[in-house]
Amino acid sequence: MAKAAKKPDMPSINIGIPDAKRAAIAQALSRLLAETYTLYLTTHNFHWNVTGKMFNTLHTMFMGQYTEMWNAVDPIAERIRALGFHAPGSYAEFSKLSTLKDAPAKPPKAMEMVEILAKGHEAIARTAREIFPIIEAGDDQPSADLLTQRMDIHEKTAWMLRALLED
């Protein structure tokens, strides 16, 4: 597991979650943030670089997907801050925390883009499931609600992308 989230210089926090559990939750959410941002960047890259017969469909679909993830990173980062920790915000930190690979240097063909994105959304859904027990152990309902929403979105998006891959 990556290094623990850094605790800012703040007054003590008493929101009903012990310090150690808050730290574990913040670290778990930092991974979710890093993976979401990594997939956001890959999706935006593919939006710019998609070509082929399905250009318009995929260009528009990718824009909707990267916009959704762009709007998701702020609530995740703000939850980490509400727990009393710094949110990671550099490519270096994201690359250490994320299990997702960076976008390929050379843009792949359109359907390979779709496959990469489907797998990325599945990976984030798995990450959310993996970190759910940490959040439940901290009795952290706001973070659990955030995770539930993210799982739903990533699972549906993966399904829609997989549907494009069928003959």
Side-chain angles (χ1 to χ4, degrees):
M1 190 175 219
K3 71 179 190 178
K6 296 176 191 164
K7 190 172 180 183
D9 296 326
M10 305 180 88
S12 66
I13 297 172
N14 184 1
I15 58 172
I17 303 171
D19 291 349
K21 288 186 178 183
R22 280 189 303 104
I25 293 166
Q27 182 58 38
L29 291 175
S30 292
R31 179 176 164 207
L32 182 72
L33 176 62
E35 292 190 351
T36 302
Y37 200 93
T38 300
L39 188 58
Y40 153 78
L41 187 60
T42 298
T43 307
H44 210 152
N45 174 315
F46 290 173
H47 165 79
W48 293 326
N49 292 298
V50 69
T51 59
K53 292 183 241 176
M54 292 190 60
F55 167 79
N56 196 45
T57 300
L58 294 177
H59 185 74
T60 301
M61 176 186 271
F62 295 164
M63 181 168 62
Q65 292 171 3
Y66 78 69
T67 300
E68 191 287 322
M69 284 183 280
W70 177 252
N71 290 321
V73 294
D74 205 49
I76 298 167
E78 288 179 353
R79 185 65 195 149
I80 295 165
R81 294 295 294 140
L83 291 166
F85 295 86
H86 291 291
S90 71
Y91 291 121
E93 287 177 293
F94 288 158
S95 69
K96 288 177 187 172
L97 291 165
S98 179
T99 61
L100 299 180
K101 294 180 182 175
D102 196 5
K106 180 182 176 198
K109 298 287 185 190
M111 287 300 109
E112 188 179 346
M113 289 177 175
V114 170
E115 185 176 0
I116 289 167
L117 295 179
K119 288 178 180 177
H121 284 281
E122 289 173 351
I124 294 176
R126 285 191 309 272
T127 293
R129 268 199 177 68
E130 288 169 14
I131 66 176
F132 213 95
I134 296 166
I135 286 154
E136 284 182 321
D139 199 25
D140 182 0
Q141 290 84 7
S143 294
D145 182 53
L146 181 66
L147 275 185
T148 301
Q149 292 174 42
R150 299 311 312 151
M151 282 187 285
D152 182 52
I153 289 165
H154 290 291
E155 289 173 4
K156 283 180 183 175
T157 303
W159 156 60
M160 291 178 186
L161 289 163
R162 285 189 313 265
L164 289 171
L165 297 170
E166 291 183 15
D167 292 328

